[in-house]
Amino acid sequence: MSTYSPHSRNSVASPHVLIIGGGLAGLTAARLLHRAGIGFQLLEARDRLGGRILSADASGNAAADGFDLGPSWFWPAVQPAMAALVAELGVSVFPQDSAGDIVFQQTLHETPLRFPGMPEEWPSMRIAGGAGALVSALAAGLPSAAIQLNARVTRVTLDGEEIELRYVRTNGHEHRARASHVLFALPPRLLEATVSFTPALEAQNARRWRDTPTWMAPHAKLVALYDRPFWRDAGLSGAARSIVGPLVEIHDATTASGKAALFGFVGVPADHRKAAGREAIVAASVRQLARLFGPEAAGPAATLFKDWSADPLTATAADRVAGEHPIPDRLPWVGGAWRKRLLLAGSETSSSEPGYLAGAVQAAERAVGELIRGVSETEAGRGA
């Protein structure tokens, strides 16, 4: 079944783009194409937009005023493209609360140590309502008919001057779509592992995609919700570092609306987390919070836990072992027969901020700019 065919077979009068992935990069690309008057269709495999951005309520459901189970911060002083997008969308921001002492846990049986907090050179900023508010603001400016959820791409075929793409819905039915260009707003490693290409990718491109670590994929994040931010009464910032675990880095996650919480990154490797199970990891984390912040931390109103390594729409088997952070470079991501038709825009492909929210914005801007320049050059050549 073909959902749409914007052009007659092998005849492209104007660009029509398929965007694969509805996270920050995909939505930013959609916004830029829409503003440029270029037709697009966005396909997202999940039943929600946002990708690795997930702001959830106490029940774990995506919410308009939620706690971030994915990324939380950006740094406007050194990430101007991200700051500009936030300002254009009119999204409210607030600084990460860091006033007070930091707690260090060196051993399990010794009292944690307290040290004065250090001011940040570049203040960390958060989105009011959670990072999901940024996703909602982007989606609100796009035509709803151009977005499909529950559409998992499996195969891409180059057919003359068009690309045929196959995707599967949750009912198992396969659908097809055609376009002049495809923009993949996915992590390169996930893309290489889950989508087949005809003709095949050049070996060096496929290898580079496989070798690029996916940001967040090896990690798990826990959020403990409380009735009030009691740690502030004791002069603590809510920040802690531990070499004991299971949480290795902890921060105040209280929302702009005043919902109190602490969050921590789980330092237990992915395979060990899987073997231990969610309940054991959460229970051990809450006991740790009580040792660090006092007995009141032992009774959270709720806990949220997201293991990104167990999310097949984020992680591959290679991501079960934590790797290095993606490294920026300016080498081309696509070559050979696909060079003028396929573009990568996942955060990991950013030439300046790979693996950050700002990287997703920069990568999308770069990819859309390349697409528009390529189309202009093609049209100029035809005119000559």
Side-chain angles (χ1 to χ4, degrees):
M1 176 181 178
S2 176
T3 54
Y4 61 92
S5 182
H7 315 293
S8 62
R9 189 174 180 84
N10 297 331
S11 176
V12 179
S14 62
H16 190 102
V17 184
L18 282 164
I19 301 171
I20 314 305
L24 179 56
L27 291 169
T28 299
R31 180 174 184 267
L32 294 171
L33 291 171
H34 188 53
R35 190 163 63 184
I38 296 175
F40 72 91
Q41 187 81 7
L42 187 151
L43 304 180
E44 165 57 48
R46 292 179 170 89
D47 61 0
R48 61 172 180 83
L49 295 172
R52 286 166 280 179
I53 293 176
L54 176 56
S55 301
D57 61 19
S59 300
N61 299 313
D65 184 18
F67 301 91
D68 288 320
L69 297 178
S72 298
W73 302 311
F74 75 103
W75 294 267
V78 291
Q79 297 175 337
M82 177 70 181
L85 177 62
V86 168
E88 289 172 12
L89 292 172
V91 176
S92 298
V93 301
F94 67 106
Q96 169 67 35
D97 194 302
S98 58
D101 291 349
I102 299 174
V103 179
F104 287 85
Q105 185 183 31
Q106 295 180 312
T107 70
L108 184 61
H109 303 294
E110 294 180 352
T111 302
L113 304 175
R114 288 178 59 154
F115 295 93
M118 299 290 290
E120 292 184 307
E121 182 178 2
W122 301 314
S124 302
M125 302 298 291
R126 294 169 56 192
I127 306 293
L134 189 61
V135 171
S136 297
L138 282 165
L142 300 173
S144 58
I147 297 174
Q148 283 195 65
L149 302 178
N150 299 305
R152 179 174 56 84
V153 174
T154 59
R155 180 177 293 276
V156 183
T157 301
L158 185 60
D159 184 11
E161 291 189 36
E162 282 192 325
I163 296 171
E164 181 181 89
L165 180 145
R166 299 185 186 187
Y167 63 96
V168 178
R169 303 302 299 268
T170 51
N171 59 10
H173 293 169
E174 183 179 79
H175 298 253
R176 301 186 185 194
R178 301 179 72 87
S180 63
H181 299 77
V182 175
L183 188 153
F184 278 102
L186 300 177
R189 177 179 283 173
L190 181 70
L191 175 57
E192 193 276 336
T194 59
V195 178
S196 299
F197 292 85
T198 303
L201 298 170
E202 290 194 334
Q204 64 267 32
N205 290 142
R207 186 181 313 111
R208 185 185 182 200
W209 294 11
R210 283 194 303 271
D211 292 344
T212 300
T214 298
W215 166 65
M216 289 295 294
H219 303 298
K221 190 171 179 180
L222 177 133
V223 182
L225 285 57
Y226 297 97
D227 294 333
R228 64 187 191 91
F230 56 85
W231 51 92
R232 297 177 184 177
D233 297 341
L236 297 174
S237 65
R241 302 292 185 274
S242 172
I243 60 175
V244 176
L247 304 178
V248 293
E249 180 181 339
I250 299 166
H251 297 276
D252 188 322
T254 302
T255 67
S257 60
K259 298 175 183 176
L262 295 167
F263 89 82
F265 294 104
V266 181
V268 180
D271 287 338
H272 294 177
R273 295 197 301 267
K274 183 178 180 180
R278 179 189 186 281
E279 290 186 6
I281 295 293
V282 170
S285 297
V286 171
R287 290 195 296 270
Q288 180 189 12
L289 292 174
R291 290 194 296 271
L292 294 171
F293 298 105
E296 201 166 350
T303 55
L304 302 172
F305 180 74
K306 176 62 177 177
D307 190 337
W308 290 99
S309 73
D311 186 336
L313 299 178
T314 296
T316 70
D319 294 307
R320 300 194 68 79
V321 178
E324 299 296 325
H325 193 87
I327 299 173
D329 66 49
R330 296 183 180 275
L331 295 174
W333 287 92
V334 182
W338 290 103
R339 184 174 63 86
K340 294 184 178 181
R341 297 293 176 186
L342 189 72
L343 302 107
L344 266 60
S347 176
E348 289 78 9
T349 70
S350 169
S351 60
S352 60
E353 300 283 350
Y356 292 101
L357 292 173
V361 174
Q362 191 272 335
E365 291 178 346
R366 183 257 309 151
V368 172
E370 289 177 4
L371 188 152
I372 292 175
R373 286 193 298 273
V375 169
S376 298
E377 291 169 1
T378 298
E379 290 179 348
R382 287 173 177 168

